[in-house]
Amino acid sequence: MSDRTFAFATLALHAGHIPDSDTLSRSVALHRTSSYVFKSAEHAANLFALKETGFIYTRLGNPTQEVLERRMAALENGAAALAFASGTSAIHNTVINLCAAGDEIVAGYNLYGGTYTMFDGVLPQFGIQTRFVDPANPHNFEKAITEKTRLLFVETIGNPALAVTDLEAVATVAQKHHLPLVVDSTFTTPYLLRPLDYGADIVCHSLTKWLGGHGTAIGGIVVDGGKFDWTDPKFKLFNEPDPGYHGLRYAHDLGEMNQLAFIMRLRLVPLRNLGACLSPDNAWLFLQGIETLPLRMERHCANAQAVAEFLHKHPQVQWVRYPGLPSDPTHPVAKKYLSKGYGAMVVFGIQGG
Ligand SMILES: Cc1ncc(COP(=O)(O)O)c(C=O)c1O
């Protein structure tokens, strides 16, 4: 696709894909291959030395996965993306691409249970601590920041309490302290909300949910806004020579790609060495799902709004949380960010428990 501006629905169908010049195949091909042929020893050496781009081994990258990454970057208004085996591994790899032992995270306390446990129970085993705060007041993030903080983390709509985060307010705090704001946008998808447009730096998704849309695969993706300045020495992983990669300093030695230091290191270090790669088959299934994302999200939101309104009036229902209900505590925030709909999830409690 050229530099022209395309509507979201067109990007969902075509972004990141150039029809194959040999076969002229219209649809994205599924490349079920673990490895690739090198044209010569020099070609191989150049690929490994990052002097040329291309595929080496599917743990590091794959043509089908690359279309998914380019499509998601386009849909999020981001610079580049990297797919993972699950939403969980997308978040874990993002965190360890920014934090080493001794570093800290400041996160909203209303995270998906698996992420909460990763931050609260698993990361401390490796010396990374999280300070959890009530995200209802963005000032709470500022109060929890220390000199050890390396990132702020929130969900757009928290799972499962469904509180909507005031992204712009949290991004203002992040910018003031020169920290990246990492946003899990699983519950909104880029159709409802693009966190990078509101000052976030990195967006994570579980592809498993609405992006995939059919319940057929587990996967995750990380999108890099490409605007954060990683040359700040407090981000040691980007500024000190990496002995595992010929002494490369990711924020300095990548030439034109320096601005993409985060996503480059994410591929070259955690993905390459820990191996949580997405399978080509699952990349293809997610591309298939994303084609209909706009249509499905519209219907999901309409259905959820109707269910929430029905439950809200039901005599046997004690409480309902849905950001689209005018009575919901975060409805005023939701109205600012979610002009196309308030998401697909509704939670409620019945009278008598
Ligand atoms: C908001 C959110 N983030 C991340 C995840 C983890 O994604 P996955 O199940 O693909 O690992 C989930 C899973 O339910 C989720 O709801």
Side-chain angles (χ1 to χ4, degrees):
M1 289 175 86
S2 69
D3 290 341
R4 278 175 53 200
T5 314
F6 292 95
F8 189 94
T10 307
L11 293 174
L13 282 174
H14 296 296
H17 180 230
I18 299 167
D20 178 68
S21 55
D22 290 339
T23 62
L24 302 182
S25 149
R26 172 70 273 181
S27 297
V28 180
L30 168 48
H31 289 271
R32 271 192 182 139
T33 185
S34 59
S35 39
Y36 304 84
V37 177
F38 301 121
K39 294 177 205 159
S40 62
E42 191 193 3
H43 179 223
N46 284 345
L47 290 175
F48 279 100
L50 307 176
K51 287 187 191 152
E52 246 182 83
T53 54
F55 299 103
I56 297 175
Y57 189 53
T58 280
R59 171 154 44 78
L60 306 178
N62 168 282
T64 311
Q65 177 190 332
E66 183 176 74
V67 178
L68 172 67
E69 290 166 351
R70 292 190 171 173
R71 190 159 299 174
M72 279 301 294
L75 291 175
E76 284 287 8
N77 264 343
L82 181 58
F84 284 93
S86 65
T88 303
S89 57
I91 294 168
H92 178 230
N93 283 263
T94 293
V95 167
I96 62 169
N97 202 36
L98 295 169
C99 298
D103 292 338
E104 291 180 359
I105 301 166
V106 178
Y109 64 33
N110 59 338
L111 304 178
Y112 159 62
T115 309
Y116 190 93
T117 305
M118 182 198 309
F119 286 14
D120 190 52
V122 181
L123 292 174
Q125 293 174 26
F126 304 95
I128 300 167
Q129 302 293 337
T130 301
R131 292 167 186 261
F132 292 100
V133 300
D134 179 355
N137 181 355
H139 189 56
N140 292 336
F141 288 87
E142 180 141 41
K143 284 195 282 190
I145 290 171
T146 72
E147 61 184 24
K148 296 178 184 168
T149 310
R150 292 294 170 269
L151 70 116
L152 305 189
F153 189 96
V154 295
E155 290 178 2
T156 49
I157 301 179
N159 176 10
L162 307 185
V164 181
T165 306
D166 188 346
L167 289 183
E168 230 165 22
V170 183
T172 302
V173 173
Q175 279 151 18
K176 183 171 160 198
H177 294 269
H178 196 237
L179 291 166
L181 173 59
V182 180
V183 176
D184 180 339
S185 188
T186 299
F187 270 41
T188 32
T189 80
Y191 180 75
L192 296 182
L193 175 61
R194 305 203 233 210
L196 299 175
D197 293 353
Y198 291 98
D201 300 289
I202 294 154
V203 180
C204 298
H205 286 283
S206 167
L207 293 166
T208 317
K209 313 291 169 353
W210 297 279
L211 283 157
H214 298 82
T216 47
I218 301 276
I221 201 155
V222 182
V223 183
D224 182 351
K227 295 201 176 125
F228 195 86
D229 175 12
W230 299 106
T231 60
D232 181 341
K234 76 180 169 207
F235 299 103
K236 287 201 177 109
L237 299 174
F238 295 89
N239 289 281
E240 294 184 357
D242 180 357
Y245 227 96
H246 327 298
L248 191 74
R249 295 166 311 148
Y250 297 91
H252 302 272
D253 301 332
L254 291 169
E256 284 176 359
M257 306 289 267
N258 278 347
Q259 208 48 48
L260 293 179
F262 172 82
I263 207 92
M264 290 290 285
R265 189 184 185 279
L266 192 64
R267 191 186 296 276
L268 296 173
V269 185
L271 179 66
R272 180 176 186 236
N273 298 303
L274 301 177
C277 59
L278 186 68
S279 73
D281 287 67
N282 285 350
W284 190 89
L285 286 170
F286 291 129
L287 282 164
Q288 194 80 356
I290 289 168
E291 289 195 359
T292 55
L293 180 72
L295 295 169
R296 287 185 292 102
M297 287 313 289
E298 231 175 83
R299 182 63 72 86
H300 278 310
C301 293
N303 288 350
Q305 184 77 38
V307 169
E309 284 169 14
F310 170 80
L311 291 171
H312 187 59
K313 287 189 217 124
H314 199 288
Q316 283 174 303
V317 171
Q318 195 172 23
W319 57 268
V320 186
R321 286 292 312 255
Y322 183 64
L325 288 176
S327 57
D328 195 80
T330 56
H331 185 64
V333 181
K335 269 207 306 198
K336 173 175 169 187
Y337 293 100
L338 302 173
S339 59
K340 287 194 198 158
Y342 297 98
M345 291 289 283
V346 180
V347 290
F348 65 102
I350 51 174
Q351 292 286 3

